[in-house]
Amino acid sequence: MGKLRQTFANPTESTIFLNLELSTSRFRLNPGEELMLLYDPADRAADGNGSTLRIELVQGTDCIELVIYTAESVMFYPDGRAAPLDFGPA
């Protein structure tokens, strides 16, 4: 089976950070931008409920952060370019 595509869009006026776990990849999603994750639908180890992706909101930070549990480590812009890793501050 091929990989599935999940789009993350940021309609807010704030930066959103997307953290891919089990890797250490972190991406910045600026206001008005979209990033895509291509992932194997068989990768369900992080969710005991059978969900394809488990996504958690991180509380207590100065910005919005999401943790996406996947075996993948790369995200893409809608035009197919790989998004750069971003470990900087909000």
Side-chain angles (χ1 to χ4, degrees):
M1 175 183 277
K3 291 194 174 193
L4 297 178
R5 178 186 318 216
Q6 179 65 52
T7 300
F8 294 86
N10 183 358
T12 73
E13 295 182 8
S14 301
T15 298
I16 298 173
F17 283 99
L18 304 173
N19 301 287
L20 302 183
E21 296 289 341
L22 303 167
S23 76
T24 59
S25 298
R26 183 177 190 236
F27 301 90
R28 181 185 298 256
L29 185 57
N30 291 312
E33 286 186 341
E34 291 184 349
L35 289 177
M36 296 183 310
L37 175 66
L38 303 176
Y39 64 95
D40 184 343
D43 177 24
R44 298 181 182 194
D47 191 326
N49 298 317
S51 299
T52 305
L53 288 176
R54 181 178 182 90
I55 301 170
E56 296 178 355
L57 177 67
V58 176
Q59 300 267 342
T61 62
D62 293 339
C63 61
I64 300 169
E65 288 199 55
L66 298 176
V67 177
I68 304 146
Y69 290 89
T70 178
E72 306 299 331
S73 61
V74 179
M75 295 191 80
F76 299 91
Y77 290 112
D79 66 6
R81 290 179 296 130
L85 294 174
D86 189 327
F87 297 100

